[in-house]
Amino acid sequence: MDTKILLPNNETYKEAREIIRSGGIVAFPTETVYGLGADAENSEAIKKIFIAKGRPQDNPLIVHISKKEDFFKVGKNITNICKALMDFMPGPITLIVDKNENISKEATAGLDTVGIRIPENKIARDFIESTGKFIAAPSANTSSRPSPTTAKHVYEDMNGKIPLIIDGGSCDIGIESTVVDTRGDKARIHRPGRITFEMIEEKLGKGNVEIAKLGEKAISPGMKYKHYAPKCAMELHFRKETALDACNRLKNEGRRPILIALDKYIEFDPHIAMGKNSVDYANRLFDSLRDAEKQSDYIIAIAPDDDEVGRSVLNRIEKSCGGNIVK
Ligand code: TXA
Ligand code: MG
């Protein structure tokens, strides 16, 4: 199959609509990362997503909608906590609620719950709107690879596997949405993101939000899998000194290390400068991993600053390096 990359315009949306309505897959940009979308009510279409990604069968997809009124057509038993958190929509947040019957069981991997998201990105919403469907979509990478933040990243992983990528340039945020279970007495954060614990706590009041721990039965199935891994070795450091030592030692051993760090720590070549703060770091993280693996055989990353967004970024980096951490 030929994979087209098209800019967003009426003709592209028309083509996307035809693909989705005939049970196919379209990759589309959002403000977080690119998604791999199919009709959330069509089981056969959903199965194609799992095949294209090589995604484990028990990992549910998020259902994307373009407007709040559709929330109640996809989910039910909406709690007051959920209603309050809907104030963050459209935006980089996914709310878990009980699922309506119309949503395919394949999309939610057999769960009775569904994660719902309204992207802030206008292209994403125009695409969804033009299909007239609810769009089930995971990130548009091959399973276990870094998430895609440009159309080129999607092409690297999906060339020949899907018919169309809508090119919306690079994603503003760069890490995936915050996933929050809204069904209980407290909001539970399953995956940290740009909408932070503090922002949610401010909305709901102190004591009304908690962070789900890995290993808990109720945690998002997706959190247990290998994630965001570059093709080369990778090590995470918290101090500039140990990171620079590692770079120099590897270089002396004949390896080809590369340093990934905030601008203020860049004292080694080659390197990828991650900007001035955690927001910059989030924005560049996945692109930097895909870039680094092409030019080096060992990534030495220095953690972002220890702030709210920095901790969401750190969550991804810890998974990227597979627990290879120098404290
Ligand atoms: O920003 C994002 O969320 C992007 C864009 C494309 O919207 N999507 C994304 O999808 O990151 P994915 O499939 O890569 O990650 C979805 C995460 C997984 O960890 C999955 O287990 C969890 O959300 N999830 C989805 N539905 C769930 C449910 N009903 N219950 C618990 N966890 C759920
Ligand atoms: Mg993903």
Side-chain angles (χ1 to χ4, degrees):
M1 171 186 314
D2 275 351
T3 302
K4 281 196 236 178
I5 303 180
L6 298 177
L7 292 171
N9 55 42
N10 285 343
E11 240 163 73
T12 301
Y13 292 135
K14 194 167 162 252
E15 194 163 333
R17 174 190 164 90
E18 274 159 25
I19 294 169
I20 294 294
R21 295 188 79 99
S22 59
I25 305 177
V26 172
F28 62 100
T30 82
E31 71 278 19
T32 56
V33 302
Y34 275 70
L36 205 56
D39 177 356
E41 294 170 276
N42 181 337
S43 302
E44 293 310 310
I46 301 297
K47 283 181 194 158
K48 291 181 191 166
I49 292 182
F50 280 84
I51 293 169
K53 270 184 75 83
R55 185 176 178 101
Q57 294 291 336
D58 68 345
N59 194 1
L61 311 182
I62 293 169
V63 174
H64 296 69
I65 57 176
S66 61
K67 48 187 184 299
K68 280 189 188 172
E69 63 197 71
D70 287 346
F71 199 96
F72 307 94
K73 299 176 187 161
V74 176
K76 62 182 180 188
N77 305 331
I78 309 301
T79 59
N80 286 335
I81 284 183
C82 184
K83 284 184 193 145
L85 294 181
M86 281 175 73
D87 283 353
F88 289 113
M89 296 181 150
I93 192 164
T94 296
L95 302 179
I96 298 175
V97 297
D98 287 332
K99 147 184 157 6
N100 266 340
E101 294 309 314
N102 56 324
I103 300 303
S104 145
K105 266 209 171 302
E106 270 72 20
T108 61
L111 297 178
D112 296 327
T113 57
V114 60
I116 310 178
R117 170 155 139 72
I118 309 179
E120 180 147 39
N121 183 304
K122 175 91 168 47
I123 301 167
R125 280 186 283 128
D126 285 348
F127 156 66
I128 299 165
E129 187 70 33
S130 72
T131 66
K133 296 282 183 186
F134 310 134
I135 299 293
S139 50
N141 52 291
T142 301
S143 249
S144 89
R145 293 273 300 141
S147 296
T149 55
T150 64
K152 188 170 148 261
H153 297 162
V154 180
Y155 190 80
E156 276 173 9
D157 286 13
M158 293 297 149
N159 181 21
K161 296 183 177 170
I162 61 171
L164 175 60
I165 301 167
I166 303 175
D167 186 351
S170 53
C171 299
D172 284 343
I173 293 175
I175 55 171
E176 306 88 341
S177 62
T178 308
V179 176
V180 189
D181 190 344
T182 66
R183 293 170 304 147
D185 302 339
K186 293 181 181 186
R188 290 170 68 78
I189 299 179
H190 282 217
R191 181 174 69 184
R194 185 65 185 81
I195 305 280
T196 63
F197 181 95
E198 274 161 15
M199 291 162 77
I200 292 173
E201 190 177 56
E202 200 184 311
K203 176 70 66 187
L204 300 178
K206 268 215 176 330
N208 290 326
V209 46
E210 56 192 17
I211 297 176
K213 294 270 177 310
L214 200 62
E216 275 180 26
K217 210 171 146 234
I219 189 102
S220 283
M223 300 307 278
K224 67 176 179 279
Y225 291 109
K226 183 178 163 195
H227 257 96
Y228 317 126
K231 287 175 182 158
C232 61
M234 178 166 172
E235 204 168 273
L236 168 64
H237 289 251
F238 285 84
R239 292 190 302 123
K240 181 180 86 175
E241 292 72 24
T242 64
L244 295 176
D245 280 355
C247 285
N248 289 313
R249 176 176 42 77
L250 286 161
K251 195 173 171 186
N252 290 336
E253 289 167 4
R255 302 289 296 262
R256 291 179 298 125
I258 187 166
L259 179 68
I260 289 184
L262 288 170
D263 297 355
K264 61 188 174 188
Y265 300 129
I266 298 293
E267 288 175 31
F268 182 81
D269 279 319
H271 62 255
I272 299 176
M274 301 301 279
K276 294 193 169 18
N277 54 41
S278 300
V279 171
D280 292 345
Y281 207 127
N283 181 263
R284 298 176 197 181
L285 176 66
F286 293 132
D287 182 66
S288 75
L289 297 181
R290 285 176 183 260
D291 183 4
E293 71 185 11
K294 293 189 184 87
Q295 48 172 314
S296 115
D297 64 6
Y298 213 116
I299 299 171
I300 299 293
I302 304 181
D305 293 334
D306 185 22
D307 53 36
E308 280 274 295
V309 175
R311 282 190 283 277
S312 296
V313 176
L314 195 60
N315 169 277
R316 273 63 177 189
I317 303 177
E318 284 171 349
K319 295 192 168 81
S320 296
C321 68
N324 208 0
I325 299 171
V326 178
K327 284 275 182 199

